[in-house]
């Protein structure tokens, strides 16, 4: 067993709602090992984004705890140890791609994260296939380029844990598939540790070394699967590309689809579920 990058134990989040039970999730236990891609899969509204926000320290948990293995050991604070990516690239429209990426290193928590900011920006732009658009503005980019620029801005700070919230959900299917392959390459090359959230079963199966299914209300982790891609885990020695129709995934896909809830049962849905 490898070093633990993230451990979430007994995590719960509640919002006070006029005396009604406003529990979003509870009893959530997740462990992410260093170098692993864990996918948190679940239907819309089950609390995935809320869970990521609590891990990032943007909101407190109502119960339970978040431990960051490597971050604690290195004495880095949470803001610096964690990088976040969202569905919306959130690039600043008045800055070029290179300036947007450089901005990632300007936040106070990230100052000094890399020895030479300009080299780090140039290197990541080249790595992410963005050198040709380094001087372009966000409205001149394709959706895929904008999302890669956004992820460059996060990854350039060398986070110990990357939290990705439906990063490809707004892209057309071809761009989405291309960026999924691209992400697996970046994860392998930079040895990233990722917790990625999606509602898409195929995306979860393709990207995850492990898939944790979230559902029911209040939500919790229903079950976790090892995907056991024939090509081995991300970063595995054999380096072969993953197959979307990998035979080994068939049984896992079937089980996930049995447990995947597309709807919250009406009888148990609090009135504040939209
Ligand atoms: P997902 O990302 O899985 O779609 P979210 O984390 O966005 O789910 O939301 C989960 C649930 O938590 C939603 O039903 C939402 O209404 C509720 N929720 C999120 N934030 C708040 C808040 N600040 N106050 C009350 N309820 C909230
Ligand atoms: Mg969400």
């Amino acid at each position: 067993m490898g070093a633990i990058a993230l451990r979430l134990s007994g995590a719960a989040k509640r919002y006070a709602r006029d005396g009604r039970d406003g529990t979003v999730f509870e009893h959530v236990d997740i462990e992410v090992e260093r170098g692993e891609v864990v996918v948190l899969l679940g239907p819309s509204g089950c609390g995935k984004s809320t869970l990521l926000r609590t891990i990032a320290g943007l909101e407190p948990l109502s119960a339970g705890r978040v431990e960051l293995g490597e971050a604690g050991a290195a004495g880095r604070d949470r803001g610096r140890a964690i990088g976040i990516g969202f569905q919306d690239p959130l690039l600043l429209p008045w800055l070029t791609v290179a300036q947007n990426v450089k901005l990632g290193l300007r936040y106070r928590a990230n100052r000094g994260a890399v020895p030479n900011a300009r080299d780090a920006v140039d290197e990541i732009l080249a790595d992410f296939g963005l050198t040709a658009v380094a001087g372009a503005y966000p409205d001149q980019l394709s959706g895929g380029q904008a999302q890669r620029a956004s992820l460059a801005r996060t990854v350039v700070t060398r986070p110990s844990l990357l939290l990705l919230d439906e990063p490809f959900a707004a892209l057309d299917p071809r761009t989405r598939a291309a960026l999924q392959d691209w992400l697996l390459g970046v994860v392998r090359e930079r040895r990233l540790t990722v917790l990625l959230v999606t509602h898409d079963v195929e995306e979860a199966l393709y990207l995850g070394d492990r898939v944790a299914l979230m559902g029911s209300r209040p939500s919790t982790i229903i079950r976790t699967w090892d995907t056991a891609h024939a090509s081995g885990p991300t970063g595995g020695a054999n380096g072969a590309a993953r197959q979307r129709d990998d035979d080994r995934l068939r049984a896992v896909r079937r089980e996930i689809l049995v447990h995947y809830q597309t709807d919250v049962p009406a009888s148990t849905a609090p009135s504040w579920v939209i």
Side-chain angles (χ1 to χ4, degrees), residues 7-12 27-31 61 63-67:
R7 179 180 287 127
L8 207 63
S9 9
H27 310 305
V28 171
D29 300 313
I30 298 178
E31 274 186 6
L61 281 171
R65 51 189 298 191
V66 179
E67 293 163 86

Side-chain angles (χ1 to χ4, degrees), residues 45 47-50 165-166 197:
K48 305 181 296 299
S49 296
T50 308
D165 193 349
E166 312 249 15
V197 155

